Amino acid sequence: MPFPNVADKHRGDAVITPEKSVEYRDDQSDAGPPAVPEAVVLCYSRGLMEYLTDARDGREVDSYYGDLYVFDEFDGRVGVMGNFGIGAPTAAMMVEELAADGVEAFLSVGFAGCLQDDVEMGEFIVCDRAIRDEGTSHHYAESAKFARPTEPLFDRITRTLADRDEPYRVGPSWTTDAIYRETVREVESYANEGVLTVEMEASAVFTVAAHRGVDAAAMFVVSDYLGTAEWEPKFHLTEDDMRRLGDAAAEILADRTE
């Protein structure tokens, strides 16, 4: 049996669309359509979301299954969406609904497990392609090994990180739904291919953004190391690195919208 079960389903028309969903939402609200920023940081870390909203003045937008916060310092052009969960399905839903409301660019940021032992703690990983080992993206586009970020936003990331003197590494990531089924054989295979990280959202974000005609990219902080013999969690050492990542993401999107 193929996956998805109905062949070529990515070519078909959807019954429920994000446009219909947000239209229904707005019809039920006295406030009308929300005022959204041009670009949004997708944030999967509760700690990072708390830091960004505490450290920067802004306003909340109460229209979503997560918390959208728009920064004042960028004249309302940049915001952060967080507290909506983790994984490809919820990230895809956020991209769909925010794009339907007018958001034009998404920068997905968060933790990632590392498959290469020469990557240092504190280095940012900028994803240049993501292996589509999650289920969501295959409902949006013909199956292929990789999904890719949009080139202008990817280039903006590398330029801004260089200007900030931030250490970073560019390479592929493995996106999977099954955090507790990252097997020894897979880790060994992808490490041998030169894949840098494993996470749960990037390939879906890239694919849905391409489907909607908006920009998307992703970058990560290394939180743990996956070897074939052992797992080394380092989450407790990442707080400062994650905050730097969030600050850099907001600046990158602000530069893009100028």
Side-chain angles (χ1 to χ4, degrees):
M1 183 174 287
F3 180 79
N5 293 341
V6 176
D8 294 328
K9 73 157 290 182
H10 61 281
R11 303 182 191 277
D13 295 328
V15 176
I16 304 172
T17 67
E19 291 80 10
K20 290 178 181 177
S21 180
V22 300
E23 181 181 0
Y24 174 76
R25 176 204 65 200
D26 294 342
D27 285 345
Q28 302 303 307
S29 171
D30 294 332
V36 299
E38 296 175 39
V40 166
V41 178
L42 293 176
C43 174
Y44 312 100
S45 163
R46 288 185 179 274
L48 176 58
M49 185 68 180
E50 182 177 355
Y51 164 73
L52 289 173
T53 55
D54 285 349
R56 299 167 184 268
D57 292 334
R59 59 180 173 86
E60 296 181 1
V61 180
D62 297 324
S63 298
Y64 302 97
Y65 177 70
D67 298 330
L68 177 61
Y69 187 85
V70 182
F71 301 124
D72 288 345
E73 68 187 278
F74 305 122
D75 300 320
R77 294 176 287 111
V78 177
V80 58
M81 170 64 82
N83 298 330
F84 58 87
I86 62 174
T90 54
M93 183 175 71
M94 292 298 98
V95 172
E96 286 272 36
E97 294 180 4
L98 288 165
D101 279 331
V103 176
E104 300 172 357
F106 299 88
L107 181 44
S108 182
V109 302
F111 294 119
C114 190
L115 307 185
Q116 307 294 335
D117 58 14
D118 65 335
V119 175
E120 299 291 336
M121 289 291 297
E123 283 188 293
F124 294 163
I125 305 297
V126 182
C127 181
D128 65 357
R129 58 197 186 279
I131 295 170
R132 293 171 58 191
D133 199 24
E134 37 66 44
T136 302
S137 68
H138 299 274
H139 296 270
Y140 283 85
E142 184 176 3
S143 291
K145 183 170 182 177
F146 293 109
R148 289 176 168 79
T150 47
E151 188 171 342
L153 184 52
F154 174 85
D155 290 344
R156 174 68 67 182
I157 291 171
T158 56
R159 287 198 302 271
T160 302
L161 294 182
D163 290 344
R164 289 170 61 96
D165 292 324
E166 291 284 5
Y168 70 93
R169 189 83 61 96
V170 174
S173 187
W174 164 32
T175 306
T176 176
D177 290 326
I179 186 172
Y180 294 124
R181 290 301 299 159
E182 296 165 4
T183 65
V184 171
R185 181 179 177 184
E186 290 172 302
V187 169
E188 184 176 51
S189 176
Y190 289 134
N192 288 339
E193 287 182 31
V195 175
L196 297 182
T197 53
V198 57
E199 38 66 48
M200 300 181 70
E201 298 90 13
S203 61
V205 171
F206 297 166
T207 304
V208 176
H211 178 75
R212 291 296 170 191
V214 295
D215 290 336
M219 56 184 190
F220 321 117
V221 162
V222 171
S223 57
D224 51 311
Y225 289 84
L226 282 76
T228 56
E230 61 181 352
W231 171 53
E232 296 181 52
K234 304 285 186 180
F235 294 89
H236 60 292
L237 301 176
T238 63
E239 182 177 0
D240 290 343
D241 298 330
M242 185 62 78
R243 290 180 175 185
R244 286 175 30 242
L245 185 76
D247 288 335
E251 182 178 321
I252 288 162
L253 291 181
D255 290 345
R256 176 206 173 271
T257 59
E258 287 182 347

